[in-house]
PDB file of all heavy atoms in Angstrom:
ATOM      1  N   TYR B  40      -2.741  39.676 -24.258  1.00 95.00           N
ATOM      2  CA  TYR B  40      -3.533  38.749 -25.082  1.00 95.00           C
ATOM      3  C   TYR B  40      -4.751  39.447 -25.628  1.00 95.00           C
ATOM      4  O   TYR B  40      -5.470  40.165 -24.871  1.00 95.00           O
ATOM      5  CB  TYR B  40      -3.995  37.556 -24.234  1.00 95.00           C
ATOM      6  CG  TYR B  40      -2.881  36.596 -23.835  1.00 95.00           C
ATOM      7  CD1 TYR B  40      -2.074  36.843 -22.738  1.00 95.00           C
ATOM      8  CD2 TYR B  40      -2.641  35.422 -24.567  1.00 95.00           C
ATOM      9  CE1 TYR B  40      -1.056  35.965 -22.365  1.00 95.00           C
ATOM     10  CE2 TYR B  40      -1.636  34.542 -24.207  1.00 95.00           C
ATOM     11  CZ  TYR B  40      -0.848  34.827 -23.115  1.00 95.00           C
ATOM     12  OH  TYR B  40       0.157  33.950 -22.755  1.00 95.00           O
ATOM     13  N   GLU B  46      -0.262  38.730 -28.099  1.00 96.00           N
ATOM     14  CA  GLU B  46       0.026  39.773 -29.084  1.00 96.00           C
ATOM     15  C   GLU B  46       1.424  40.346 -28.909  1.00 96.00           C
ATOM     16  O   GLU B  46       2.159  40.522 -29.870  1.00 96.00           O
ATOM     17  CB  GLU B  46      -1.016  40.899 -28.897  1.00 96.00           C
ATOM     18  CG  GLU B  46      -1.098  41.845 -30.046  1.00 96.00           C
ATOM     19  CD  GLU B  46      -2.310  42.766 -29.897  1.00 96.00           C
ATOM     20  OE1 GLU B  46      -2.285  43.574 -28.942  1.00 96.00           O
ATOM     21  OE2 GLU B  46      -3.258  42.652 -30.673  1.00 96.00           O
ATOM     22  N   GLU B  58      -9.446  50.943 -17.081  1.00 87.00           N
ATOM     23  CA  GLU B  58      -9.826  51.455 -15.739  1.00 87.00           C
ATOM     24  C   GLU B  58     -10.785  50.522 -15.009  1.00 87.00           C
ATOM     25  O   GLU B  58     -10.815  50.480 -13.784  1.00 87.00           O
ATOM     26  CB  GLU B  58     -10.478  52.851 -15.873  1.00 87.00           C
ATOM     27  CG  GLU B  58      -9.408  53.935 -15.973  1.00 87.00           C
ATOM     28  CD  GLU B  58     -10.047  55.302 -15.871  1.00 87.00           C
ATOM     29  OE1 GLU B  58     -11.224  55.394 -15.485  1.00 87.00           O
ATOM     30  OE2 GLU B  58      -9.346  56.281 -16.194  1.00 87.00           O
ATOM     31  N   GLY B  66      -0.955  31.704  -6.625  1.00 82.00           N
ATOM     32  CA  GLY B  66       0.292  31.125  -6.089  1.00 82.00           C
ATOM     33  C   GLY B  66       1.312  30.785  -7.158  1.00 82.00           C
ATOM     34  O   GLY B  66       0.979  30.642  -8.326  1.00 82.00           O
ATOM     35  N   PRO B  81      18.688  20.692  -4.264  1.00 91.00           N
ATOM     36  CA  PRO B  81      19.131  21.780  -5.097  1.00 91.00           C
ATOM     37  C   PRO B  81      18.212  21.976  -6.294  1.00 91.00           C
ATOM     38  O   PRO B  81      17.519  21.041  -6.714  1.00 91.00           O
ATOM     39  CB  PRO B  81      20.528  21.352  -5.551  1.00 91.00           C
ATOM     40  CG  PRO B  81      20.521  19.862  -5.424  1.00 91.00           C
ATOM     41  CD  PRO B  81      19.559  19.531  -4.334  1.00 91.00           C
ATOM     42  N   VAL B 122      12.870  12.257  -3.562  1.00 97.00           N
ATOM     43  CA  VAL B 122      11.529  12.618  -4.030  1.00 97.00           C
ATOM     44  C   VAL B 122      10.512  12.654  -2.880  1.00 97.00           C
ATOM     45  O   VAL B 122       9.649  13.534  -2.798  1.00 97.00           O
ATOM     46  CB  VAL B 122      11.045  11.677  -5.166  1.00 97.00           C
ATOM     47  CG1 VAL B 122       9.624  12.044  -5.570  1.00 97.00           C
ATOM     48  CG2 VAL B 122      11.984  11.791  -6.366  1.00 97.00           C
ATOM     49  N   TYR B 158       7.087  26.659 -22.171  1.00 90.00           N
ATOM     50  CA  TYR B 158       7.488  27.935 -21.593  1.00 90.00           C
ATOM     51  C   TYR B 158       8.792  27.679 -20.812  1.00 90.00           C
ATOM     52  O   TYR B 158       9.078  26.563 -20.443  1.00 90.00           O
ATOM     53  CB  TYR B 158       6.436  28.471 -20.629  1.00 90.00           C
ATOM     54  CG  TYR B 158       5.007  28.476 -21.118  1.00 90.00           C
ATOM     55  CD1 TYR B 158       4.171  27.352 -20.894  1.00 90.00           C
ATOM     56  CD2 TYR B 158       4.466  29.567 -21.775  1.00 90.00           C
ATOM     57  CE1 TYR B 158       2.855  27.360 -21.325  1.00 90.00           C
ATOM     58  CE2 TYR B 158       3.146  29.584 -22.216  1.00 90.00           C
ATOM     59  CZ  TYR B 158       2.361  28.477 -21.982  1.00 90.00           C
ATOM     60  OH  TYR B 158       1.049  28.474 -22.399  1.00 90.00           O
TER      61      TYR B 158
END
Side-chain angles (χ1 to χ4, degrees):
Chain B
Y40 289 82
E46 196 170 67
E58 278 189 13
V122 177
Y158 312 90

